[in-house]
Amino acid sequence: MQRTQRPRLSPITRRRLQVFRDNRRAYWSLWIFGLLFVVSLGAELIANDKPIVMQYQDQWYAPLLVDYPETEFDGFLPTTADYHDPFVYEQIERHGWMLWPPVPFSYQTLDRDIQGPVPSPPSTRHWFGTDDQGRDVFARVLYGFRLSVAFALALTAGSIVLGVVIGGVQGYYGGKIDLLGQRLIEIWSGLPMLFLLIILASLVEPNIWWLLGIMLLFSWLGLVDIVRAEFLRARNLEYVRAARAMGLPSHLIMRRHVLPNAMVATLTFIPFLFTGAITTLTALDFLGFGLPPGSPSLGELVAQGKNNLQAPWLGITAFVSLSVMLSLLVFIGEGLRDAFDPRHIVSAASPRPAQPHTPVQESLP
Amino acid sequence: MSRQRLFELRRLSVRFGDSVAVSNLDLHIDRGETVAVVGESGSGKSVSALGALGLLPPGSQVDGERTFDGQNLAQLSPRQWNALRGGRIGFVFQEPMTSLNPLHTIGKQLAETLRLHQGLRGEAARKRCRELLAQVKLPRIDELLAAWPHQLSGGQRQRVMIAMAIANDPQLLIADEPTTALDVTVQQAILALLDDLRRRHGMGVLLISHDLNLVRRHADRVVVMHDGTLVETGTTQAVFETPRAAYTRKLLDAIPEGRPARLPSAPEPLLAAERLGVSFARPKPFLRPRPPAFVAVEPLALQLRRGETLGIVGESGSGKSTLASALIRLVPAEGEIRFGERRLDKLSGNALRRERRQFQIVFQDPYGSLSPRMPVADIVSEGLRFHHPELDEDAITQRVAETLAEVDLPADCGARYPHEFSGGQRQRIAIARALILKPRLLVLDEPTSALDRTVQKQLIELLRTVQARHDISYLFISHDLAVVRAMAHRLMVLKEGRIVEQGDCDTVLTTPQSDYTRALIAAADLSLA
């Protein structure tokens, strides 16, 4: 049998993509956010206190990848070379050359050459100024953005896995499993997450993994209700009953027939999980219970803005970067929600999908 | 005899964007007359009535002359429309389950229409409500006024809807498939009620239906529609006895005919059930004893032989679907089920799943039974991939193509998605999905109920061919006696979970023993076939 070319995406998926693309704001937000994230992934190449490559006495060095001791450049200390140090800097300039990133500061570089008091206002040297320890704000925002988004990504992915599995099992089997699961979840959701984090901060030195782990314990709770409801509804759909009558095992039915239904609700929930993760992390950092001191964090920048009202660039930068990031996410979320809304199709006046809807003649008149 | 013209449409056309739903429709209704609009689904019969009265969603465009009692409908203000609809024109819709608000009592909903259109309040409104419910012949009126919609049966709800429609003594009643969702015996009662009300109030009635049986009994004139255009119109007698248009003849001919193929003298039994019963436990109220379980199917015995079709008929709620699901172990049941040489009721888990390829089921709703996210080839091959993991991709493709050809679907449809197919084609896909596993028993749960008559007829022929070719046994569930007669060798009549009557299909239909069966047969009007 000659099989005709099978479209890879189901018509439903194609229609949703089309609706999403037609929503200009969401579409552009997705692109801008994606671009910002990709750029921030290469933060080391943009803002760093080490040269990207350099030549010293006709030898190649890549300080970005390898830590060279100062003695390598005829210094005195066997510690990692500080390329901002006037002695090292001059040595290298005299016997070779260095290629610096566009911003020669990393998020934790203390700029000791600043004229005047810190925080210092924006200048050509520090585009967004420095904070009250003399660290470059642009570099901190760039690294902070990356850390926030990566944290939110990991948290969202973890929540989805946990939420879908637990909600799915409860919804699909129903009955006693569902009843027991729901009661356990009710008890679990009674635990105050923020207090737990604060208590934890006094017991251990919180790092990003601790925060991620603790928040993951709670962030899936919101998803369970949605996924469970979808599974409960879908398990009695006729095509699911048909699959059961065919003798398919439960895990296949769940994966192939029920999960695609539940994923719609889950996907619309993602942007809210994402923004929630970012704001929680920022709030913890602002309160000082979050990432260890020195980490690039937007919350810490907000706190600095609050403590240094005489340096408005701190507060403004924190505000703008957070609001741009969260607004972009909300726009994307809006677009996703519309794309998955079956009632939205009417207003999506768009060229017809590639495959026209042809209910072929029933061989009746 | 000159009658007064009540409602008239001239050159009515309805468009949704680029697609034309109705074009150039002429129609008129006199006082005291019932005009029926018939046609298959998608022929534009409902759309024309809704369009003429401005009830279509925005985005539709209605052109043409519309007059009601001398008033030009195209020039009405929204306020005038509201006075007209529900006041002088009443509506009865198809779905009695969804057209009543579940959050208000019957009395409140009835009183609301009275208050809006006649300004009746308090005791006066209640008195009128009682009158209306008495007119539609509902029992225990005072209880009903305080009842919630979910406490009523489908027929009772439809009577309430009719009471609401006639509450303001309309001159025109538009009944859009008023009985389609109801059981046959109830259908007749509702239509008789409409006839009675029409005579008493001198209403004009526009009856929209696809059921020729009903139309023939209850309409004065008939309008046949096809693809949004008028095919034929005339008095009921003329249209039914001397149809002029080819399409009308086709509609009239589309009554399931023929009989199932004869069986060899003594086929071996395939499925046997002893003392099979299904009951559902009711939830236990707090601090009170648990109420007795709800018995859906009383313990009964049943036998199905090889290549035989057993028809199970009964009205909704009679337990026929539950019985079939219990037989193939989809709902828990007690009793003994013997399938071939095996005890089906003793199997569980993996062994039961393996056995399932021997018995398959086809559901009623062709729209809900196929996953919208999977192309047809995947839907059809899913069971095969699970039960025969040894087959390679080419063999599976081969089997899918063969099976699709067997149910008369075009070979290229494997790559397409269910939404591209019509109801009848989807039902064929569902049958292909069941047949590909080469089952010995096929449970058909109202497989033709959601389809038009002409499509039903083709599907029945297909099912008979398949049965003859593969020697499959069918368990055929239906409420439609005409369809069952064309399919079943033996018949079992169920009522409230109990067997009322069973035996050879023709014998039961020609010489019914119980009153219930007789009522069913009378309502189905089998003489037409």
Side-chain angles (χ1 to χ4, degrees):
Chain A
M1 165 189 164
Q2 195 60 44
R3 192 179 282 207
T4 35
Q5 183 68 45
R6 181 186 296 187
R8 278 222 327 282
L9 298 172
S10 79
I12 297 180
T13 318
R14 268 182 286 153
R15 191 193 67 216
R16 286 177 179 153
L17 273 177
Q18 189 59 42
V19 175
F20 188 78
R21 271 196 219 108
D22 287 344
N23 185 339
R24 313 297 297 169
R25 193 168 60 183
Y27 189 59
W28 282 107
S29 297
L30 181 65
W31 273 109
I32 295 172
F33 189 81
L35 193 73
L36 284 177
F37 185 54
V38 169
V39 166
S40 74
L41 282 180
E44 272 85 0
L45 295 173
I46 295 166
N48 211 335
D49 55 359
K50 299 169 186 167
I52 301 171
V53 284
M54 55 177 274
Q55 228 180 353
Y56 180 70
Q57 291 177 339
D58 294 332
Q59 268 206 292
W60 287 93
Y61 293 89
L64 206 55
L65 307 174
V66 189
D67 283 341
Y68 302 105
E70 212 176 286
T71 46
E72 191 80 20
F73 311 112
D74 302 317
F76 313 105
L77 300 168
T79 52
T80 310
D82 174 6
Y83 300 90
H84 281 289
D85 184 79
F87 173 76
V88 176
Y89 189 84
E90 268 178 36
Q91 276 285 328
I92 299 171
E93 283 293 300
R94 201 176 302 147
H95 301 287
W97 54 269
M98 293 184 280
L99 175 66
W100 282 91
V103 178
F105 306 101
S106 182
Y107 63 93
Q108 51 191 355
T109 320
L110 305 179
D111 188 0
R112 283 180 294 258
D113 303 340
I114 299 177
Q115 314 297 317
V118 286
S120 70
S123 62
T124 46
R125 185 175 169 82
H126 298 287
W127 297 347
F128 290 178
T130 67
D131 64 7
D132 58 6
Q133 294 170 44
R135 297 176 299 198
D136 186 76
V137 173
F138 175 80
R140 290 190 70 76
V141 168
L142 187 68
Y143 283 86
F145 176 83
R146 178 173 72 176
L147 191 69
S148 298
V149 174
F151 180 80
L153 269 179
L155 186 63
T156 311
S159 313
I160 288 176
V161 171
L162 278 174
V164 167
V165 169
I166 295 174
V169 167
Q170 278 188 33
Y172 185 80
Y173 292 104
K176 290 225 169 65
I177 295 181
D178 186 34
L179 198 72
L180 197 72
Q182 281 302 97
R183 298 298 85 78
L184 283 178
I185 283 174
E186 272 158 24
I187 295 167
W188 190 241
S189 62
L191 292 175
M193 174 178 74
L194 219 52
F195 292 149
L196 261 181
L197 281 169
I198 291 170
I199 294 166
L200 178 89
S202 63
L203 294 179
V204 294
E205 171 82 346
N207 61 23
I208 190 156
W209 301 112
W210 273 107
L211 288 178
L212 190 67
I214 298 276
M215 282 176 71
L216 200 53
L217 287 181
F218 297 93
S219 63
W220 53 271
L221 291 170
L223 259 177
V224 166
D225 293 336
I226 298 173
V227 176
R228 171 178 161 268
E230 288 292 325
F231 270 66
L232 269 177
R233 189 178 65 85
R235 73 184 184 135
N236 283 322
L237 291 183
E238 283 204 339
Y239 62 83
V240 176
R241 284 166 61 204
R244 209 175 294 154
M246 211 146 45
L248 293 192
S250 297
H251 68 94
L252 267 184
I253 298 177
M254 280 201 248
R255 206 176 64 214
R256 222 178 287 159
H257 295 280
V258 188
L259 189 60
N261 277 301
M263 278 325 276
V264 172
T266 314
L267 281 176
T268 17
F269 203 68
I270 285 182
F272 304 104
L273 273 179
F274 213 89
T275 45
I278 291 177
T279 31
T280 313
L281 183 68
T282 310
L284 283 174
D285 283 342
F286 176 75
L287 295 172
F289 298 114
L291 297 169
S295 328
S297 115
L298 297 174
E300 201 234 299
L301 191 63
V302 179
Q304 290 219 2
K306 191 200 89 181
N307 294 335
N308 299 284
L309 289 175
Q310 81 285 5
W313 56 89
L314 292 176
I316 291 173
T317 311
F319 170 74
V320 170
S321 49
L322 271 173
S323 55
V324 164
M325 175 161 64
L326 295 177
S327 306
L328 287 177
L329 283 171
V330 168
F331 292 154
I332 296 171
E334 241 179 21
L336 269 181
R337 188 198 58 203
D338 285 351
F340 285 115
D341 183 357
R343 280 164 304 174
H344 193 75
I345 313 155
V346 190
S347 58
S350 56
R352 294 250 169 120
Q355 196 160 23
H357 178 83
T358 44
V360 221
Q361 73 286 3
E362 177 72 48
S363 67
L364 60 92
Chain B
M1 177 172 90
S2 86
R3 275 176 150 173
Q4 226 178 330
R5 183 76 27 116
L6 180 67
F7 179 63
E8 184 156 22
L9 301 173
R10 273 169 189 275
R11 311 187 60 74
L12 180 88
S13 55
V14 181
R15 273 181 298 170
F16 295 97
D18 294 335
S19 64
V20 180
V22 178
S23 64
N24 281 332
L25 178 71
D26 291 322
L27 189 150
H28 65 91
I29 301 172
D30 295 335
R31 285 184 200 282
E33 185 186 39
T34 301
V35 175
V37 181
V38 296
E40 307 199 306
S41 49
S43 59
K45 45 191 199 304
S46 294
V47 170
S48 49
L50 294 177
L53 295 168
L55 284 173
L56 287 177
S60 56
Q61 199 190 342
V62 182
D63 297 308
E65 259 178 63
R66 303 175 268 163
T67 45
F68 175 72
D69 204 15
Q71 237 176 338
N72 185 350
L73 291 180
Q75 289 167 352
L76 290 186
S77 68
R79 183 185 277 271
Q80 285 171 312
W81 266 124
N82 285 342
L84 196 66
R85 296 193 288 239
R88 296 172 62 198
I89 302 180
F91 291 92
V92 182
F93 292 109
Q94 174 172 355
E95 277 297 327
M97 302 297 159
T98 50
S99 36
L100 285 172
N101 186 336
L103 299 180
H104 294 296
T105 59
I106 302 298
K108 195 169 173 189
Q109 296 190 49
L110 256 175
E112 192 184 17
T113 31
L114 293 173
R115 185 167 54 78
L116 285 175
H117 289 278
Q118 300 176 14
L120 286 183
R121 273 164 207 284
E123 194 47 48
R126 241 193 315 281
K127 187 158 162 279
R128 178 84 180 118
C129 285
R130 284 205 197 91
E131 273 172 36
L132 285 168
L133 292 180
Q135 272 187 26
V136 294
K137 298 180 180 132
L138 278 166
R140 299 191 310 280
I141 290 167
D142 286 301
E143 259 173 64
L144 266 184
L145 282 176
W148 303 92
H150 70 92
Q151 296 171 316
L152 273 59
S153 72
Q156 287 176 326
R157 282 185 228 195
Q158 200 62 306
R159 280 169 200 262
V160 172
M161 285 304 297
I162 293 173
M164 284 170 85
I166 61 167
N168 302 303
D169 295 323
Q171 289 156 295
L172 175 65
L173 185 71
I174 295 184
D176 187 355
E177 307 262 8
T179 58
T180 305
L182 304 175
D183 290 323
V184 267
T185 45
V186 185
Q187 283 185 359
Q188 294 301 338
I190 294 276
L191 280 163
L193 171 67
L194 280 180
D195 273 352
D196 180 43
L197 291 171
R198 170 178 63 96
R199 261 194 295 281
R200 222 182 310 159
H201 297 275
M203 290 187 299
V205 175
L206 179 65
L207 176 68
I208 300 171
S209 180
H210 70 276
D211 190 337
L212 297 171
N213 233 336
L214 291 179
V215 168
R216 181 174 207 168
R217 285 191 186 183
H218 297 281
D220 300 314
R221 280 191 301 114
V222 180
V223 173
V224 183
M225 283 186 77
H226 177 53
D227 274 349
T229 52
L230 188 146
V231 177
E232 183 166 1
T233 175
T235 62
T236 307
Q237 203 180 2
V239 170
F240 275 86
E241 279 166 20
T242 51
R244 276 167 291 143
Y247 177 70
T248 315
R249 274 198 292 276
K250 181 149 193 169
L251 266 188
L252 289 175
D253 283 346
I255 306 256
E257 52 192 23
R259 294 289 183 274
R262 284 187 163 276
L263 287 173
S265 52
E268 59 200 274
L270 177 70
L271 179 76
E274 288 294 329
R275 298 183 310 281
L276 181 75
V278 184
S279 51
F280 299 109
R282 290 203 175 92
K284 181 182 177 307
F286 187 59
L287 289 184
R288 264 177 291 160
R290 183 186 286 279
F294 169 73
V295 179
V297 179
E298 307 247 350
L300 51 79
L302 178 149
Q303 226 191 33
L304 181 63
R305 287 169 296 179
R306 230 175 128 187
E308 184 189 43
T309 303
L310 173 63
I312 302 180
V313 295
E315 310 205 310
S316 53
S318 60
K320 50 192 195 306
S321 287
T322 313
L323 172 63
S325 300
L327 278 172
I328 59 170
R329 295 284 314 269
L330 280 180
V331 291
E334 66 236 36
E336 189 183 308
I337 309 166
R338 199 178 287 281
F339 183 80
E341 308 76 48
R342 291 239 178 112
R343 277 287 293 271
L344 216 51
D345 52 318
K346 296 276 188 235
L347 292 182
S348 67
N350 224 359
L352 178 62
R353 271 205 291 277
R354 288 283 153 209
E355 198 66 16
R356 281 198 186 282
R357 78 193 131 107
Q358 308 265 8
F359 41 94
Q360 286 292 302
I361 183 166
V362 174
F363 292 101
Q364 169 175 4
D365 179 13
Y367 295 89
S369 60
L370 305 176
S371 170
R373 276 162 228 275
M374 286 163 78
V376 171
D378 285 358
I379 291 175
V380 173
S381 66
E382 189 172 28
L384 198 62
R385 283 176 208 274
F386 175 71
H387 286 292
H388 299 278
E390 76 279 1
L391 291 179
D392 64 358
E393 203 55 36
D394 284 339
I396 287 175
T397 314
Q398 180 69 25
R399 277 279 284 276
V400 170
E402 280 168 21
T403 315
L404 288 177
E406 179 153 20
V407 297
D408 296 331
L409 282 170
D412 65 341
C413 74
R416 308 214 313 236
Y417 285 85
H419 76 109
E420 296 169 50
F421 297 91
S422 66
Q425 287 171 323
R426 287 182 202 217
Q427 207 58 299
R428 282 164 196 263
I429 297 172
I431 293 173
R433 168 175 61 187
L435 282 184
I436 199 165
L437 293 171
K438 300 205 190 303
R440 291 157 71 194
L441 167 68
L442 196 55
V443 175
L444 299 154
D445 190 353
E446 304 255 11
T448 59
S449 300
L451 307 175
D452 286 323
R453 273 290 188 202
T454 45
V455 185
Q456 274 187 7
K457 194 175 165 186
Q458 296 164 4
L459 204 68
I460 287 168
E461 273 156 25
L462 170 75
L463 285 171
R464 279 204 300 246
T465 324
V466 167
Q467 182 170 43
R469 200 179 302 155
H470 298 292
D471 207 19
I472 305 178
S473 307
Y474 287 157
L475 205 61
F476 193 92
I477 301 166
S478 183
H479 66 271
D480 188 340
L481 288 177
V483 173
V484 172
R485 180 169 62 169
M487 282 296 301
H489 298 98
R490 279 191 307 127
L491 197 60
M492 179 185 261
V493 183
L494 279 189
K495 189 190 182 192
E496 286 160 14
R498 236 168 300 189
I499 298 180
V500 175
E501 191 165 354
Q502 62 179 329
D504 183 62
C505 182
D506 276 334
T507 320
V508 171
L509 290 180
T510 46
T511 52
Q513 298 301 310
S514 70
D515 289 341
Y516 183 68
T517 318
R518 264 195 288 279
L520 277 183
I521 293 171
D525 199 8
L526 283 175
S527 60
L528 261 181

